[in-house]
Amino acid sequence: MERKQIKIGLMGLGTVGGGVWQLLQMNRESIAAKTGLDFEIAKVAVRDLGRKRAVPAERLTDRPEDLYEDPEIQVIVGVLGRPDEGRHLLAAMNAGKHVVTANKAAVAADYEALREAAERNKVLFRYEASVAGGIPILHAIEQSLQGNEYQELMGILNGTTNYILTHMTEEGADYADVLKKAQELGFAEPDPTADVEGIDAANKLSILLSLVFGARVLPKDIPTEGISRISGADIAAAKEQGCKIKLIARAAKTDKGLEYSVRPTLLPKEHPLAGVNNEFNAVFLKGNAVDELMFYGRGAGALPTASAVWGDLIEVGKEIAKGAAYDLVVAGGPAEA
Ligand code: HSE
């Protein structure tokens, strides 16, 4: 059988971009055998052309525009991780490219504009990797769980802070030292303030609020508190009460309406979310038909996040091959609040 070629423009070659490149080197043959699609990362946009990289130099550019202005490229992967990435994603859609992204800040901030641009340009827009890394939570909500209404959502949505809290709790490690380690491991954002102040978790909760409750809430409107003021003494006091401190993103329907927040929370040691450690994430959902569900997996890191990006890429590739890409984008999507 002749394989159909799908050409990708990879916008960003940091932790996640590197993982997206690496996964294709690892699994290109098995993906092609399973799907009949031969994916090629044709061009890669980086900030610094001078640095030595795994990608051949002739595929590199320092202009993201070169990717979406290339008529041969069909899909743009947006993993620059910068807050202004949304404008490139919009430009890519306006140039007729399908878009896959892991950038939660851009998705949360520009959600309506991105969905509207996808619809207007009849391209696909997928963002599974933007929430909870390798956990396929958005697909589960948009597909397998479509028949439910929800009462509650609770999650550990940031790997860096969970890694820090785990090591402070288990080894009495120093906050600044563990943060440095989380940065070295590639879990943290370029500016880790977004992690430790809860902003990254609020971006992810904003996306989940759209999909789970059909409520559009900007991250800045989610009451948010991070972990930068949690001390060793706070952790010891929690332990004495048989509890652990976790950074919890929560949303629930109450008599007063939909309530939501991101904040350090005391959880009894027996609580399922208390056993989620290191960079692992977990999402607990309660639907009115399915009842309680919990999803667990690595929420940060190169290959786990690339796994979610590739799930989206292969889905887009299959739709391109069928010539039916647009059907998917109009089918999904949250209602406005
Ligand atoms: N900085 C994020 C985290 C990366 O630590 O969870 C994954 O979104």
Side-chain angles (χ1 to χ4, degrees), residues 16 102 104 129-133 157-162 182 186-190 194-195 200-201 204 279 281 299-301 305:
V16 182
K104 51 269 157 147
S130 66
V131 179
L157 300 179
N158 181 268
T160 302
T161 46
N162 205 39
F187 304 152
E189 296 302 297
D195 296 293
D200 179 76
K204 293 164 178 169
E279 78 275 25
N281 281 192
T305 311

Side-chain angles (χ1 to χ4, degrees), residues 58-103:
E58 64 276 12
R59 296 200 203 179
L60 296 176
T61 172
D62 57 3
R63 291 182 70 250
E65 295 82 355
D66 286 349
L67 272 47
Y68 46 84
E69 286 168 2
D70 183 331
E72 292 206 334
I73 287 177
Q74 294 143 296
V75 195
I76 297 294
V77 176
V79 288
L80 288 173
R82 300 203 299 256
D84 72 340
E85 188 160 358
R87 81 184 162 84
H88 287 300
L89 303 181
L90 286 169
M93 290 181 191
N94 289 335
K97 310 300 180 191
H98 303 290
V99 165
V100 171
T101 186
N103 189 328

